[in-house]
mmCIF file of all heavy atoms in Angstrom:
data_model
loop_
_atom_site.group_PDB
_atom_site.id
_atom_site.type_symbol
_atom_site.label_atom_id
_atom_site.label_comp_id
_atom_site.label_asym_id
_atom_site.label_seq_id
_atom_site.Cartn_x
_atom_site.Cartn_y
_atom_site.Cartn_z
ATOM 1 N N ILE A 15 1.211 6.737 1.777
ATOM 2 C CA ILE A 15 0.339 5.566 1.632
ATOM 3 C C ILE A 15 0.597 4.570 2.756
ATOM 4 O O ILE A 15 -0.331 4.053 3.390
ATOM 5 C CB ILE A 15 0.562 4.891 0.256
ATOM 6 C CG1 ILE A 15 0.142 5.836 -0.871
ATOM 7 C CG2 ILE A 15 -0.221 3.583 0.158
ATOM 8 C CD1 ILE A 15 0.514 5.343 -2.261
ATOM 9 N N GLY A 16 1.867 4.307 3.015
ATOM 10 C CA GLY A 16 2.221 3.321 4.035
ATOM 11 C C GLY A 16 1.771 3.720 5.424
ATOM 12 O O GLY A 16 1.168 2.916 6.148
ATOM 13 N N VAL A 17 2.020 4.953 5.820
ATOM 14 C CA VAL A 17 1.657 5.412 7.166
ATOM 15 C C VAL A 17 0.147 5.377 7.372
ATOM 16 O O VAL A 17 -0.344 4.978 8.429
ATOM 17 C CB VAL A 17 2.200 6.837 7.410
ATOM 18 C CG1 VAL A 17 1.564 7.461 8.650
ATOM 19 C CG2 VAL A 17 3.708 6.793 7.595
ATOM 20 N N THR A 18 -0.616 5.793 6.374
ATOM 21 C CA THR A 18 -2.077 5.783 6.485
ATOM 22 C C THR A 18 -2.599 4.380 6.765
ATOM 23 O O THR A 18 -3.538 4.197 7.546
ATOM 24 C CB THR A 18 -2.714 6.322 5.194
ATOM 25 O OG1 THR A 18 -2.210 7.641 4.939
ATOM 26 C CG2 THR A 18 -4.223 6.395 5.312
ATOM 27 N N CYS A 19 -1.974 3.391 6.149
ATOM 28 C CA CYS A 19 -2.441 2.008 6.302
ATOM 29 C C CYS A 19 -2.120 1.412 7.675
ATOM 30 O O CYS A 19 -2.906 0.633 8.203
ATOM 31 C CB CYS A 19 -1.830 1.124 5.216
ATOM 32 S SG CYS A 19 -2.372 1.516 3.534
ATOM 33 N N VAL A 20 -0.970 1.759 8.237
ATOM 34 C CA VAL A 20 -0.503 1.025 9.424
ATOM 35 C C VAL A 20 -0.443 1.870 10.702
ATOM 36 O O VAL A 20 0.010 1.382 11.734
ATOM 37 C CB VAL A 20 0.896 0.417 9.162
ATOM 38 C CG1 VAL A 20 0.855 -0.534 7.980
ATOM 39 C CG2 VAL A 20 1.947 1.508 8.935
ATOM 40 N N PHE A 21 -0.917 3.109 10.675
ATOM 41 C CA PHE A 21 -0.733 3.988 11.839
ATOM 42 C C PHE A 21 -1.360 3.442 13.136
ATOM 43 O O PHE A 21 -0.749 3.559 14.201
ATOM 44 C CB PHE A 21 -1.273 5.394 11.557
ATOM 45 C CG PHE A 21 -0.848 6.391 12.606
ATOM 46 C CD1 PHE A 21 0.382 7.011 12.532
ATOM 47 C CD2 PHE A 21 -1.660 6.676 13.687
ATOM 48 C CE1 PHE A 21 0.792 7.906 13.508
ATOM 49 C CE2 PHE A 21 -1.263 7.573 14.664
ATOM 50 C CZ PHE A 21 -0.030 8.190 14.576
ATOM 51 N N PRO A 22 -2.578 2.870 13.113
ATOM 52 C CA PRO A 22 -3.140 2.343 14.370
ATOM 53 C C PRO A 22 -2.247 1.304 15.043
ATOM 54 O O PRO A 22 -2.152 1.271 16.277
ATOM 55 C CB PRO A 22 -4.472 1.733 13.917
ATOM 56 C CG PRO A 22 -4.853 2.516 12.707
ATOM 57 C CD PRO A 22 -3.555 2.791 12.003
ATOM 58 N N ILE A 23 -1.578 0.474 14.245
ATOM 59 C CA ILE A 23 -0.673 -0.524 14.828
ATOM 60 C C ILE A 23 0.527 0.170 15.456
ATOM 61 O O ILE A 23 1.027 -0.240 16.509
ATOM 62 C CB ILE A 23 -0.213 -1.534 13.756
ATOM 63 C CG1 ILE A 23 -1.420 -2.193 13.089
ATOM 64 C CG2 ILE A 23 0.680 -2.606 14.365
ATOM 65 C CD1 ILE A 23 -1.059 -3.096 11.925
ATOM 66 N N ASP A 24 0.992 1.249 14.834
ATOM 67 C CA ASP A 24 2.113 2.006 15.386
ATOM 68 C C ASP A 24 1.724 2.651 16.713
ATOM 69 O O ASP A 24 2.532 2.720 17.647
ATOM 70 C CB ASP A 24 2.551 3.082 14.383
ATOM 71 C CG ASP A 24 3.808 3.809 14.824
ATOM 72 O OD1 ASP A 24 4.843 3.139 14.966
ATOM 73 O OD2 ASP A 24 3.749 5.030 15.041
ATOM 74 N N LEU A 25 0.488 3.132 16.815
ATOM 75 C CA LEU A 25 0.007 3.701 18.076
ATOM 76 C C LEU A 25 0.012 2.637 19.178
ATOM 77 O O LEU A 25 0.458 2.897 20.308
ATOM 78 C CB LEU A 25 -1.402 4.268 17.899
ATOM 79 C CG LEU A 25 -2.035 4.867 19.151
ATOM 80 C CD1 LEU A 25 -2.701 6.212 18.837
ATOM 81 C CD2 LEU A 25 -3.091 3.936 19.759
ATOM 82 N N ALA A 26 -0.455 1.423 18.851
ATOM 83 C CA ALA A 26 -0.444 0.331 19.825
ATOM 84 C C ALA A 26 0.979 0.005 20.255
ATOM 85 O O ALA A 26 1.239 -0.250 21.435
ATOM 86 C CB ALA A 26 -1.122 -0.899 19.235
ATOM 87 N N LYS A 27 1.910 0.024 19.301
ATOM 88 C CA LYS A 27 3.313 -0.249 19.616
ATOM 89 C C LYS A 27 3.867 0.743 20.635
ATOM 90 O O LYS A 27 4.492 0.369 21.632
ATOM 91 C CB LYS A 27 4.153 -0.192 18.340
ATOM 92 C CG LYS A 27 5.635 -0.409 18.564
ATOM 93 C CD LYS A 27 6.467 0.318 17.533
ATOM 94 C CE LYS A 27 6.404 1.815 17.682
ATOM 95 N NZ LYS A 27 7.595 2.469 18.176
ATOM 96 N N THR A 28 3.597 2.030 20.412
ATOM 97 C CA THR A 28 4.090 3.068 21.313
ATOM 98 C C THR A 28 3.521 2.892 22.724
ATOM 99 O O THR A 28 4.252 2.981 23.725
ATOM 100 C CB THR A 28 3.722 4.465 20.781
ATOM 101 O OG1 THR A 28 4.365 4.665 19.519
ATOM 102 C CG2 THR A 28 4.162 5.567 21.742
#
Side-chain angles (χ1 to χ4, degrees):
I15 296 171
V17 166
T18 303
C19 294
V20 301
F21 192 84
I23 304 174
D24 186 61
L25 179 135
K27 178 209 69 109
T28 297

